[in-house]
Amino acid sequence: MTAWRFLVLGPLEVRRDTEVLALGGPKQRTVLGLLLLEAGHLVPARRIIEHVWGVDGAEGAQASLQVYVSNLRKLLRDPGSTGDADDRLAFVRPGYRLRVEPGELDLLRPVVDDRLL
């Protein structure tokens, strides 16, 4: 079983087992960060576009968002995964939801004596 760690308290980082994953450019990283901050909840595509490209959204923002999400879905797929049913990042009209298991996201882990458990 693959061990995942999602780190948002400090520099954005994703670890799969001992490997630190390359998360792509600034906009793709921002998309991932937004999804992690709302882990487990639907994040409307319109809201992601507003945060990444501005309130008016840039021309082609929807298509770019779909490319970033596709890249992230591949990146966040467990090795040996059989397809969409195993994806952590799902399209749920009208946006996206990122599944994070308990203990994987540093933001949601308890702190004891100034250390994350």
Side-chain angles (χ1 to χ4, degrees), residues 8-117:
V8 295
L9 299 175
L12 179 63
E13 190 173 288
V14 176
R15 297 178 188 168
R16 181 176 55 217
D17 294 325
T18 59
E19 176 187 11
V20 176
L21 302 181
L23 300 177
K27 289 183 179 172
Q28 184 167 298
R29 294 172 65 85
T30 301
V31 170
L32 177 60
L34 289 168
L35 292 167
L36 283 168
L37 291 175
E38 297 288 337
H41 299 280
L42 172 68
V43 182
R46 183 77 236 152
R47 191 162 107 210
I48 297 170
I49 289 170
E50 287 174 2
H51 277 81
V52 177
W53 288 274
V55 174
D56 297 328
E59 185 175 326
Q62 182 68 40
S64 293
L65 175 59
Q66 290 172 349
V67 170
Y68 294 149
V69 168
S70 177
N71 293 341
L72 290 169
R73 288 179 81 192
K74 291 173 190 166
L75 185 73
L76 300 176
R77 190 169 285 144
D78 277 319
S81 171
T82 57
D84 293 346
D86 298 330
D87 282 347
R88 288 180 163 271
L89 179 51
F91 173 71
V92 181
R93 195 170 307 256
Y96 300 93
R97 179 175 25 238
L98 179 63
R99 177 178 51 83
V100 176
E101 300 298 332
E104 291 181 336
L105 179 59
D106 64 350
L107 183 65
L108 302 177
R109 294 180 63 212
V111 176
V112 175
D113 298 327
D114 297 326
R115 293 173 299 166
L116 287 175
L117 293 181

